[in-house]
Amino acid sequence: MRPIIAIAFISLSVVAAADAQTSRVAIHAASAFDGKGRSIPNVTVVVANGRIADVRSNENVPPTYDLRGLTLLPGMIDTHVHLDTHFGRDGRAETRGESPAERALYEAENAYVTLMAGFTTVQSIGSPLDVDVRAAIARGTLAGPRLLTSIRPVNENTGTPDQIRDFVRKVKADGADLVKLFASKSSREGGGQTMTDEQVAAACGEAKRLALRTWVHAHSPSSIRAAVNGGCTVVTHGSYATPAEMQLMAERGVLFEPNIGLVSQNYLENRSRYYGIGNFDDEGFAFTEKGIPMKLAMFKNAMQVKGLELLMGTDAGAGAHGRSAEEVIYRVQVAGQPAADALTAVTSLNARAIELGSRIGTIAAGMDADLIAVDGDPLKDITALRRVKFVMKHGVVYKNINPQR
Ligand SMILES: [Zn+2]
């Protein structure tokens, strides 16, 4: 699992004094999708000191990485994963009795497969375990995506509005990057509102005061309205959202993160590993099965709502790590979203939603060098996202399996 570290590329003939201590690499690819809808043919991206220094077309210099035949993209971003979840020793999703070290190592594995799948940034929503994993990744010693976390969620049992505000301050002090709210039941239990409007408003109001974003688990129309009226940042899931709630979100600038292509499908594919745990019973799985076409119809409605921004978050749990791109593929192949829109969502739109839009999500000079390359052109064949051949995060190459022709 040792990452392949980028080797400094020094051209002896033209090392300028100012560049003497700079490791510069040039990456050439068939084309680049810049994250904002623009394609750059025959592209060369120059990287120095972890940043993109220059983006050129039809450059005639020998590159450090010759990725001919591949398409460069900004490192992908998943705004909603549960990086701690995994199948345990017996292959089941119930993992009680594991040691802290086992749990941390499972999370490290999930981080690794997520990075190798081309996701250089993810938001974990969230677990106390994320804090140490986030630190290890940030130290550069553990190969994983840049990690943001909500650590512990707010729900209807967190307490009174005052107690909820205390909780938000505590989770911020513990290092949370955002606050997660459970404002409704699980979709396996019908998704009805659980937190009161006052509880939701207390959590989102206090988070906003502390400059923290809020991600609200809300399935039912009333729970979505509570999130919008409470000044929250993002509604996630939204399985039962009608065009009226979607319109309201668009008007009030609340971002929407539906999850239609991976999470439910993964539960069904791994039914025996989940069956019998909590609400994963016959009734729960019946909701999951019915939910797939329902959420597809909901997403098609959402695409029609002018001004509604659709983030690309998967809600990936055990069994789904490393497969986040399936959400993008499903949106394009099944829901009919234009590939350029789906690719923009998983790059620059998601970057903006997590307030890192000035650093990641776009291929342009000055941005962090988070770059991936896929086999094929995802604008024409979105399944190219399954064929990630090259991964660079902040200028460090973690994967390069393209035969250098
Ligand atoms: Zn979730």
Side-chain angles (χ1 to χ4, degrees):
M1 296 219 318
R2 187 191 304 177
I4 304 152
I5 306 298
I7 294 164
F9 173 76
I10 301 166
S11 169
L12 292 176
S13 56
V14 291
V15 175
D19 274 356
Q21 294 175 324
T22 305
S23 96
R24 267 174 104 83
V25 301
I27 304 160
H28 177 261
S31 69
F33 178 82
D34 76 346
K36 291 192 164 163
R38 194 165 74 102
S39 273
I40 307 157
N42 196 16
V43 71
T44 298
V45 177
V46 180
V47 171
N49 298 323
R51 295 262 178 99
I52 296 172
D54 201 0
V55 182
R56 302 172 195 154
S57 192
N58 299 313
E59 187 75 6
N60 204 12
V61 291
T64 324
Y65 295 98
D66 182 354
L67 307 181
R68 70 184 69 178
L70 306 188
T71 303
L72 271 185
L73 299 160
M76 292 188 283
I77 300 164
D78 189 340
T79 52
H80 191 151
V81 299
H82 295 271
L83 215 55
D84 59 318
T85 57
H86 59 273
F87 300 129
R89 282 172 257 171
D90 61 357
R92 299 262 297 158
E94 172 62 80
T95 55
R96 245 178 281 178
E98 290 177 347
S99 68
E102 268 183 295
R103 293 170 51 229
L105 286 166
Y106 277 118
E107 178 156 342
E109 287 174 27
N110 290 338
Y112 180 79
V113 299
T114 300
L115 180 66
M116 291 302 124
F119 284 77
T120 49
T121 302
V122 298
Q123 193 165 251
S124 188
I125 304 195
S127 159
L129 205 55
D130 297 337
V131 175
D132 291 334
V133 175
R134 179 182 62 185
I137 292 170
R139 287 196 296 271
T141 49
L142 180 68
R146 184 182 287 99
L147 180 57
L148 308 176
T149 178
S150 58
I151 308 179
R152 292 182 304 277
V154 179
N155 63 34
E156 73 276 20
N157 300 319
T158 305
T160 64
D162 271 343
Q163 288 170 319
I164 286 174
R165 283 186 277 268
D166 283 346
F167 180 97
V168 169
R169 286 191 291 273
K170 177 78 167 69
V171 85
K172 159 101 177 177
D174 290 345
D177 300 293
L178 75 155
V179 177
K180 166 72 183 288
L181 286 72
F182 278 98
S184 84
K185 289 188 176 176
S186 156
S187 61
R188 288 179 297 282
E189 297 167 347
Q193 184 172 347
T194 48
M195 291 176 73
T196 65
D197 292 3
E198 292 71 26
Q199 287 178 311
V200 171
C204 291
E206 188 65 7
K208 187 176 271 182
R209 203 180 64 77
L210 300 170
L212 287 178
R213 294 166 287 111
T214 39
W215 238 251
V216 185
H217 166 116
H219 287 286
S220 67
S222 77
S223 57
I224 296 168
R225 286 178 179 277
V228 175
N229 293 328
C232 308
T233 320
V234 170
V235 167
T236 178
H237 309 309
S239 309
Y240 300 93
T242 73
E245 284 77 49
M246 296 171 184
Q247 193 61 47
L248 186 65
M249 284 188 261
E251 281 165 14
R252 305 280 282 277
V254 175
L255 309 174
F256 186 29
E257 182 206 71
N259 332 109
I260 63 169
L262 179 61
V263 59
S264 298
Q265 290 83 348
N266 177 63
Y267 288 140
L268 295 172
E269 285 162 26
N270 290 291
R271 189 181 176 116
S272 64
R273 295 169 181 263
Y274 282 98
Y275 191 84
I277 301 165
N279 57 22
F280 288 100
D281 51 18
D282 288 329
E283 199 187 350
F285 275 108
F287 268 116
T288 301
E289 275 175 28
K290 272 190 305 193
I292 290 175
M294 190 184 78
K295 288 194 282 185
L296 176 59
M298 178 277 291
F299 184 81
K300 287 180 175 174
N301 285 336
M303 283 194 293
Q304 303 303 315
V305 177
K306 203 164 174 291
L308 181 61
E309 300 204 272
L310 300 170
L311 309 186
M312 216 301 300
T314 61
D315 198 17
H321 300 297
R323 298 198 290 137
S324 290
E326 294 304 319
E327 184 82 20
V328 189
I329 293 167
Y330 185 89
R331 278 189 179 192
V332 174
Q333 285 193 328
V334 183
Q337 187 175 36
D341 292 355
L343 292 170
T344 299
V346 75
T347 53
S348 65
L349 173 58
N350 275 356
R352 177 154 56 83
I354 57 174
E355 295 179 349
L356 291 176
S358 62
R359 281 180 49 202
I360 60 172
T362 309
I363 298 179
M367 303 295 281
D368 275 21
D370 286 10
L371 297 164
I372 65 165
V374 299
D375 184 6
D377 181 354
L379 289 169
K380 299 192 184 97
D381 170 16
I382 196 68
T383 68
L385 298 186
R386 290 187 186 129
R387 300 185 295 275
V388 173
K389 303 294 183 186
F390 178 89
V391 176
M392 170 184 272
K393 190 187 76 174
H394 201 64
V396 177
V397 176
Y398 288 90
K399 182 179 189 178
N400 180 17
I401 54 175
N402 190 49
Q404 306 250 329
R405 284 165 287 188

